[in-house]
Amino acid sequence: LPLTTSSSSICTEDTQGWFDQRGYDCVWYEIADGQGCPKYGNQIAHARSTAKGSASDHCCHCKNPVGANNVSPAAVAPSSSETCVDTPEWTNVNGNGCEWYQDSDF
């Protein structure tokens, strides 16, 4: 049920198996919210999540303010040659694909 992305988390201290009521895991928060998760950090766990609590409780990106030392150096400064590749035909539970996220304010 969790909506995961094709990439893995840059954080090293996420609670494995946690996802919110919308189905988003910690990787989504790294993409959609700023460091410390000022917009969405209060989102609570889905009933089927492995852990209860909010994104701020379980995602290191949300737990720590800017400058925290819990991410890999390579993830903080990706190579300029890196390319993002969408998973073909992927959609979220609402039927929105990657283009929707590119065009929205996430």
Side-chain angles (χ1 to χ4, degrees), residues 13 35-37 56 59-70:
E13 299 169 5
Q35 185 71 38
C37 299
S56 293
C59 302
C60 71
H61 177 77
C62 299
K63 288 180 188 178
N64 299 296
V66 175
N69 290 328
N70 61 345

Side-chain angles (χ1 to χ4, degrees), residues 36-53:
C37 299
K39 291 183 188 176
Y40 306 110
N42 64 345
Q43 297 295 312
I44 61 172
H46 189 280
R48 291 196 212 159
S49 178
T50 59
K52 304 304 176 211

